Amino acid sequence: MVAKDKVLKIDEFFNDRVVVDKRNVGISKNETNLIINLFQKSHYLNSFFRQKQTVLNTLSKIGENFEYDSYKFIYNKKSYCIKINENDDDDFLGKEAKVLKKIKSKFKSPKFFHYENLDMGNKISILLTSFENGTPLSDFSMTDVFYNTKAISNHLSYLHETTAEGQEAETQDFISEFFSMVEYDNIFPQNMLSQLKKQKPFKNNLKILQALKPKILEHSRNLEEDNVCICHTNLNRSRILYRDGYFKFSNFLYSSNLDPFWDIALTIFYLGYSNFPAKEKEFVLQYIDKHKDISMTEEEAFAKLSKFKKVAYKLVLMKIMALFLYENMLYRDARPSKYVELIRVYEGIRDEFQSEFPSLVTYSDEIFYIYKL
């Protein structure tokens, strides 16, 4: 850290600095064998992709995260993405499959082809979609993100407008997913948990969670929800693709049927609009103007939004604290760009957190501000 009481913002720190990830894009022999076995075991994959060597010759790893690994391959001049998850108890890929099937005829998103669970000694879930050639907004500057504020807002509004079909809100399940990310007693072996509890960042994590959880439950009960639709709920910059003047949203594994103001609030924090009130206002007003089924004044819209933001920022903080912890444990310093993105999100919610929990912001700063001049 820098001088006492002075917070060095992440973009100030990176003035004349860059970060480089250590990416392993190779595919191990074990991965290759698993993929071939999946294509042989699945009747669908075995029927549609008979030339297994063609799949192997074009196979490349797109990325890996905490939920699944994803790969790209080309067959008959078409590009495909296959996501693979072992022991998917939360059925992330199944949820994404249902959403993609529902929106395929209405919305610019990856095209769904197939989903199934296979018994390979353990449960393995696979999701096959089209591979979307596009540049994620994470590869653009914030200036570019702000320039496209209205276009992103229009796209989000269209997703919500075209998927509101009278379904029930899944609010409690949605909130439970965030809570499950920080159920450390169920996630870590007891010996590892004992070691973590001796470390200051983890102690800070637990102190903040103890304050957040009851407030989330209290404030979420007071929300009035209507116009329930499919909400993405995780629109960070890496999940918005740009190509030929159009945007596409990807990775719907955290989507839920919710009031659209959940998605508006969460997206404001994930994309960094919360640090720039004029851009946040532009984003919200464009959304209200575009959505045909939402009729409210500017004052009504921002009054409702403030209530959802009060809960949303707490959920986001809880999530990014967990991701920061898992990133450090699994990848250490191999993916510094992940830390940078998480810190940027934190800076978008820090003022809200400090306003409501002034005595705890020192603990959150110690978690996220791990760099020094």
Side-chain angles (χ1 to χ4, degrees), residues 38 45 83-84 93 114-116 118 124-128:
L38 289 173
L45 296 179
K83 298 179 180 180
I84 302 173
L93 295 184
H114 182 65
Y115 166 78
E116 71 176 300
L118 295 170
I124 295 185
S125 304
I126 57 173
L127 173 63
L128 182 71

Side-chain angles (χ1 to χ4, degrees), residues 36 39-40 45-47 49-57 75:
I36 288 299
F39 272 74
Q40 292 172 339
L45 296 179
N46 198 36
S47 299
F49 305 102
R50 295 185 178 278
Q51 302 300 320
K52 306 300 185 294
Q53 194 60 47
T54 300
V55 173
L56 283 181
N57 290 343
Y75 198 88

Side-chain angles (χ1 to χ4, degrees), residues 337-352:
S337 67
K338 299 292 185 181
Y339 294 111
V340 172
E341 189 59 32
L342 291 171
I343 293 169
R344 283 202 174 107
V345 175
Y346 169 65
E347 290 180 343
I349 62 178
R350 185 180 184 276
D351 288 348
E352 300 256 7

Side-chain angles (χ1 to χ4, degrees), residues 10-69:
I10 190 69
D11 288 325
E12 295 174 322
F13 175 77
F14 279 112
N15 186 27
D16 296 326
R17 292 180 172 91
V18 296
V19 295
V20 179
D21 288 352
K22 302 171 186 176
R23 293 189 62 195
N24 179 16
V25 295
I27 302 176
S28 69
K29 184 176 181 180
N30 287 339
E31 287 177 288
T32 301
N33 290 337
L34 172 62
I35 292 169
I36 288 299
N37 288 337
L38 289 173
F39 272 74
Q40 292 172 339
K41 179 86 171 180
S42 166
H43 177 74
Y44 180 94
L45 296 179
N46 198 36
S47 299
F48 282 86
F49 305 102
R50 295 185 178 278
Q51 302 300 320
K52 306 300 185 294
Q53 194 60 47
T54 300
V55 173
L56 283 181
N57 290 343
T58 61
L59 190 68
S60 60
K61 181 180 285 188
I62 303 171
E64 55 187 2
N65 53 43
F66 304 122
E67 294 89 7
Y68 57 82
D69 294 333

Side-chain angles (χ1 to χ4, degrees), residues 102-167:
K102 186 172 183 178
I103 66 178
K104 64 180 180 179
S105 61
K106 312 172 184 177
F107 193 69
K108 294 184 182 301
S109 62
K111 183 179 179 182
F112 169 83
F113 291 114
H114 182 65
Y115 166 78
E116 71 176 300
N117 294 308
L118 295 170
D119 184 1
M120 308 288 290
N122 58 333
K123 174 187 171 184
I124 295 185
S125 304
I126 57 173
L127 173 63
L128 182 71
T129 69
S130 60
F131 176 79
E132 299 302 317
N133 289 300
T135 305
L137 279 189
S138 53
D139 289 354
F140 289 82
S141 69
M142 284 305 298
T143 300
D144 294 316
V145 175
F146 289 162
Y147 178 80
N148 288 288
T149 294
K150 289 185 177 180
I152 296 170
S153 183
N154 288 343
H155 207 48
L156 185 63
S157 176
Y158 184 71
L159 168 65
H160 294 163
E161 182 184 321
T162 56
T163 59
E165 299 175 351
Q167 58 266 54

Side-chain angles (χ1 to χ4, degrees), residues 1-14:
M1 292 296 291
V2 290
K4 186 177 180 181
D5 299 327
K6 163 73 173 170
V7 173
L8 182 66
K9 298 289 187 179
I10 190 69
D11 288 325
E12 295 174 322
F13 175 77
F14 279 112

Side-chain angles (χ1 to χ4, degrees), residues 197-213:
K197 287 181 177 179
K198 298 176 183 178
Q199 300 173 16
K200 189 174 183 180
F202 191 73
K203 292 179 181 179
N204 291 342
N205 191 311
L206 295 180
K207 289 175 184 176
I208 294 170
L209 290 177
Q210 188 176 15
L212 292 180
K213 287 181 175 180

